[in-house]
Amino acid sequence: MKVTCIQMDMLLGRPEENFAHAETLIAEAAAEKPDVIVLPETWNVGFFPRENLAELADQNGKAVKARVGALAKQYGVNIVAGSVANRKADGVYNTAYVFERNGSVVAEYDKTHLFTPSGEHEFFQKGKHLCRFTLDGVSCGLIICYDIRFPELTRSLTVQGVDLLFVVAQWPNVRTAHLLALGKARAIENQMFLVCCNSCGAAGKTTCGGNSAVYDPWGECLAQAGETEQFLTAELDFSVVQGIRDSINVFRDRRPELYFQ
């Protein structure tokens, strides 16, 4: 499986311009014929405008479904469409959408853990479900940014058989080392491929750090981006997963009856 991350820069609170930019980048990435294209977190508005958030947000995914779904169908590519600020009936959510090659939505996920140090919990609603789906026969999961700091969330997905985890993020440059360490750790401890697509550029006083990265189940970094807007592509060979899990069988040797007491 060939996966391309779009490490995108965006304009804070300017969704139409960000949609147009994302469409251009997706078209450029699709020209190289990847199997999956990945966008970062809240690329429609940035992370995150305090003023008029609900008005700036997508409306129940209408725009992203129409515009990004159409591109998935046009180019015949799976798109993990990062996440968008998204207004639903009961409030604004940080919502990720995943599209199959025919343009249909195969998964939708609302961010579970909201980043309280930035006040995200004061503007967004918490998600209430995990996200597992299949792309081209590969069992996948998806989490958003701060979620990666909660290993129990990722393990809950992988005990269900996930072989590839997508992490979409707006991670600041002051903590880039944490993002890289956590991505590597989640890949190793769960013996899976991990694809992290971060954003870059400034949003108010915060500068996102880029450094999108792809890890194999041994924790080896297959590809890593710099700090500017760019594409990051890696080939994933899933034939290695079972051998790794057979040789160090952490799933067999777990003791769930002792956890969370």
Side-chain angles (χ1 to χ4, degrees):
M1 175 182 280
K2 183 179 179 181
V3 178
T4 295
C5 293
I6 297 178
Q7 184 168 283
M8 178 180 168
D9 192 359
M10 62 214 63
L11 300 172
L12 187 66
R14 293 159 71 173
E16 181 54 41
E17 291 167 87
N18 291 331
F19 260 98
H21 187 43
E23 288 169 332
T24 297
L25 293 173
I26 289 170
E28 292 176 4
E32 299 302 317
K33 303 297 183 182
D35 298 297
V36 186
I37 293 173
V38 191
L39 292 171
E41 180 184 16
T42 55
W43 55 267
N44 64 331
V45 297
F47 189 85
F48 60 92
R50 268 70 170 172
E51 300 293 330
N52 302 320
L53 176 64
E55 288 74 19
L56 293 170
D58 201 351
Q59 307 301 306
N60 204 30
K62 182 178 180 181
V64 71
K65 290 174 186 175
R67 298 175 70 166
V68 179
L71 292 175
K73 183 176 182 179
Q74 177 181 348
Y75 296 114
V77 63
N78 302 295
I79 301 179
V80 177
S83 74
V84 293
N86 184 41
R87 192 173 76 188
K88 301 186 181 183
D90 59 339
V92 179
Y93 287 81
N94 186 337
T95 307
Y97 290 97
V98 181
F99 298 90
E100 294 181 303
R101 294 178 186 271
N102 62 8
S104 63
V105 176
V106 69
E108 177 180 337
Y109 171 66
D110 298 319
K111 189 176 182 180
T112 303
H113 301 95
L114 302 181
F115 191 58
T116 55
S118 71
E120 186 180 9
H121 63 297
E122 298 174 359
F123 294 85
F124 292 86
Q125 302 297 311
K126 294 178 182 177
K128 302 177 180 65
H129 63 87
L130 304 185
C131 183
R132 183 179 167 213
F133 53 96
T134 301
L135 292 179
D136 293 351
V138 175
S139 180
C140 304
L142 187 149
I143 63 176
I144 300 175
C145 202
Y146 189 42
D147 284 336
I148 200 173
R149 289 188 181 271
F150 298 86
E152 55 268 61
L153 171 61
T154 304
R155 179 52 57 89
S156 296
L157 287 168
T158 53
V159 296
Q160 299 177 39
V162 166
D163 295 328
L164 169 58
L165 182 69
F166 293 100
V167 183
V168 299
Q170 286 261 10
W171 201 278
N173 61 352
V174 295
R175 292 188 291 277
T176 293
H178 290 193
L179 180 62
L180 297 173
L182 290 164
K184 184 173 185 176
R186 296 293 91 85
I188 293 170
E189 69 195 8
N190 294 291
Q191 300 173 325
M192 64 183 178
F193 286 92
L194 185 143
V195 174
C196 178
C197 183
N198 195 23
S199 66
C200 61
K205 296 181 180 179
T206 301
T207 299
C208 287
N211 281 275
S212 299
V214 180
Y215 299 93
D216 75 9
W218 287 114
E220 295 295 325
C221 185
L222 302 180
Q224 182 177 332
E227 297 181 353
T228 59
E229 186 170 86
Q230 62 192 102
F231 298 147
L232 179 73
T233 299
E235 294 275 359
L236 313 185
D237 178 6
F238 292 94
S239 68
V240 306
V241 174
Q242 194 57 51
I244 293 168
R245 292 177 177 174
D246 287 342
S247 63
I248 307 176
N249 199 326
V250 296
F251 295 101
R252 179 195 61 205
D253 297 336
R254 292 174 67 247
R255 297 287 306 281
E257 71 276 8
L258 302 179
Y259 308 152
F260 305 113
Q261 294 190 17

